[in-house]
Amino acid sequence: MAEPGIEEKRKGAAPSAGAAQKSATLQYDGKSYSLPIVEGTESERALDITRLRQDTGLITLDSGYGNTGACRSSICFIDGEQGILRYRGYPIEQLAEKSSFLEVAWLLLYGELPTPERLTGFTREITRHTMLHEDFRRFFDFMPKSAHPMPVSAAAVAALSTFYKEADTEDRVFRAIVRLLAKMPTIAAYAYKHSIGQPPMYPRNDLDYCSNFLYMMFATPCEPYYVDPVVARVLDLLLILHADHEQNCSTSTVRLVGSSQSSLYATIASGISALWGPLHGGANQKVIEMLERIALEEGSAEVFLRKAKDKDDTTRLMGFGHRVYKSYDPRAAILKKSCKEVIERVGASSKLLEIAMRLEEIALEDDYFVKRKLYPNVDFYSGVIYQAIGIPVNMFTVMFTLGRLPGWIAHWLEMRKDPDTRIGRPRQVYTGHRERAYVPLDQR
Ligand code: CMC
């Protein structure tokens, strides 16, 4: 198959966007097929294989979808080689410094930064919907106290579809979005309170989004709780940094489940389940467990890294490596900077941060990591901050859920409006038995 612009590459010139080929040719079984090339706004190019099977009988095989564009999207742009991340064109560094989570949520959902009036109205709507239906409180009573808050949150979000109507009109879609963003922190805090045997705290509408969440997590009916504005702002920053990341595992899950026109609540619950895994959002919990293990048992970062490089050992350096980033994850760079400030501000121990920084330092000079372009990802430093601000370890991935929620919904909205959307249904290369005759039980 001819690569786009291959002639120019052979002559040593970088193919310019203007000179890009509009199609590539596939030679197969004595015939030639022309495959159109689609180009995105950042000059990313893709072979359009929509007619491949129809025309040639072939399908593509791409384990882990590393080379597969599943949709066109205008929400998030990542350049993994350069370490660039933008939401709707705005650099993550600028949003992290100047914006707020609810402002970013609006941006992701509706494509533009909100006007002050829109942001005020949106914030008001979300604030008014933070309470859970009283009957819903009983839902948590049926969960074992030892349950991880991630499956509890996933089940609770799916259960919202039993309380609220299907999002089948534009007005109901907006209500469902508001409900999800408003109730997710309450669900998360209730799941946590249930796990530690404390009564849930009702949300407080006089507090901002993150302060209210911290209040529901840490206040008790017996004593007042003061929300440190610095801690609330750090939490807001963490949510902004996690808000979207194009077609990652959980977002692709949301698109796949949503493509069957399943309920929005059930669709988001599937995203939460996908996020839970240790190779995805669950990595932040694994990072802190790894750092604690190094502090307690392994003794030194060097010993741990030797294990992570050993092919006969399943140990991985958690919080390192990424499917898309082949340079420093810009989110990790922002978090590394805040780590020190937060730890100093709240007076937490810096022991784990020191181990993390030592691990990073030696990994970035180690041939194994250099050759494979493995750098710290967002999860490498987020856990250190969560721990410093008092978030329990088993809630780390739930925090990721709070952040990723607007991104998932934005992709669901985009998919719903895209005329090219069809139900997601990949093919396979079958490697099982060919037809064989059934053998009755008494003859086996
Ligand atoms: N420690 C040690 N070796 C690693 C690591 C790691 N963290 N990550 C990748 N490698 C090696 C891997 O063994 C393979 O080596 P070889 O070529 O010799 O077989 C090579 O690097 C390529 O790795 P891969 O697993 O094929 O890469 P992938 O794109 O399929 O996986 C990843 C990406 C993020 C799942 C993986 O890097 C990993 O498991 N990292 C640790 C878990 C983690 O931090 N996950 C959070 C990701 S960021 C948050 C999010 O978006 O969810």
Side-chain angles (χ1 to χ4, degrees), residues 245 248 275 278-284 287 308-309 311 315-324 326 329 331 368-369 372 374 377-380 400 404:
H245 216 231
N248 56 83
L275 188 73
L279 297 189
H280 191 10
N284 53 17
V287 169
K309 293 188 295 180
K311 286 284 154 205
T315 306
R316 278 200 165 193
L317 178 53
M318 299 309 286
F320 249 71
H322 199 276
R323 173 63 62 78
V324 181
K326 300 303 164 201
D329 179 339
R331 302 166 301 172
Y368 175 95
F369 292 91
R372 290 169 180 77
L374 302 171
N377 60 51
V378 68
D379 288 327
F380 196 65
F400 197 152
R404 186 54 53 88

Side-chain angles (χ1 to χ4, degrees), residues 274-336:
L275 188 73
W276 187 22
L279 297 189
H280 191 10
N284 53 17
Q285 174 170 345
K286 296 290 169 202
V287 169
I288 221 74
E289 288 168 0
M290 171 185 80
L291 297 176
E292 279 171 343
R293 222 172 73 207
I294 295 174
L296 275 175
E297 297 169 18
E298 311 278 355
S300 79
E302 283 82 355
V303 176
F304 185 86
L305 270 199
R306 268 202 295 281
K307 285 184 165 193
K309 293 188 295 180
D310 183 352
K311 286 284 154 205
D312 298 323
D313 192 317
T314 53
T315 306
R316 278 200 165 193
L317 178 53
M318 299 309 286
F320 249 71
H322 199 276
R323 173 63 62 78
V324 181
Y325 291 119
K326 300 303 164 201
S327 64
Y328 214 101
D329 179 339
R331 302 166 301 172
I334 296 169
L335 287 181
K336 186 178 175 184

Side-chain angles (χ1 to χ4, degrees), residues 34 107 122 126 148 175 206 275 312 323 332 351 399 430:
S34 176
L107 171 70
F122 188 51
I126 289 173
H148 194 285
R175 305 249 137 253
D206 59 322
L275 188 73
D312 298 323
R323 173 63 62 78
K351 173 101 178 126
M399 307 308 295
Y430 175 67

Side-chain angles (χ1 to χ4, degrees), residues 65-262:
Y65 308 120
N67 305 286
T68 298
C71 59
R72 290 175 169 84
S73 180
S74 61
I75 299 171
C76 181
F77 172 71
I78 303 175
D79 181 331
E81 306 299 327
Q82 311 277 340
I84 291 172
L85 169 62
R86 296 184 202 129
Y87 297 161
R88 301 283 191 186
Y90 295 103
I92 191 66
E93 292 80 4
Q94 291 179 24
L95 293 170
E97 191 190 333
K98 299 180 179 150
S99 180
S100 70
F101 176 62
L102 289 186
E103 186 181 13
V104 165
W106 179 280
L107 171 70
L108 290 169
L109 293 165
Y110 302 111
E112 295 298 335
L113 289 169
T115 59
E117 296 74 31
R118 281 213 165 117
L119 183 57
T120 307
F122 188 51
T123 307
R124 193 185 318 114
E125 282 296 311
I126 289 173
T127 309
R128 280 187 51 234
H129 286 85
T130 46
M131 274 175 72
L132 292 179
H133 193 291
E134 275 302 288
D135 292 347
F136 202 89
R137 283 179 46 168
R138 282 186 296 139
F139 168 90
F140 296 92
D141 295 338
F142 297 114
M143 300 286 147
K145 293 239 179 313
S146 57
H148 194 285
M150 276 302 270
V152 174
S153 301
V157 170
L160 286 177
S161 59
T162 64
F163 280 78
Y164 301 107
K165 287 204 167 75
E166 197 55 41
D168 53 3
T169 62
E170 286 316 301
D171 185 50
R172 283 189 187 148
V173 166
F174 182 70
R175 305 249 137 253
I177 293 172
V178 165
R179 280 196 185 104
L180 275 165
L181 286 167
K183 295 184 195 307
M184 193 63 228
T186 317
I187 288 175
Y190 274 33
Y192 171 61
K193 286 291 196 188
H194 174 71
S195 76
I196 56 167
Q198 285 188 7
M201 298 298 290
Y202 284 113
R204 267 183 51 190
N205 288 1
D206 59 322
L207 296 175
D208 64 65
Y209 196 78
C210 287
S211 300
N212 174 49
F213 174 70
L214 291 166
Y215 167 80
M216 289 189 290
M217 283 284 291
F218 300 120
T220 69
C222 318
E223 52 190 324
Y225 174 77
Y226 164 74
V227 183
D228 183 339
V230 174
V231 172
R233 172 58 199 151
V234 170
L235 186 55
D236 202 69
L237 168 72
L238 280 154
L239 299 191
I240 292 172
L241 296 181
H242 286 88
D244 195 47
H245 216 231
E246 51 122 300
Q247 309 306 320
N248 56 83
C249 177
S250 56
T251 303
S252 300
T253 302
V254 163
R255 279 186 174 262
L256 194 61
V257 174
S259 76
S260 75
Q261 298 180 359
S262 188

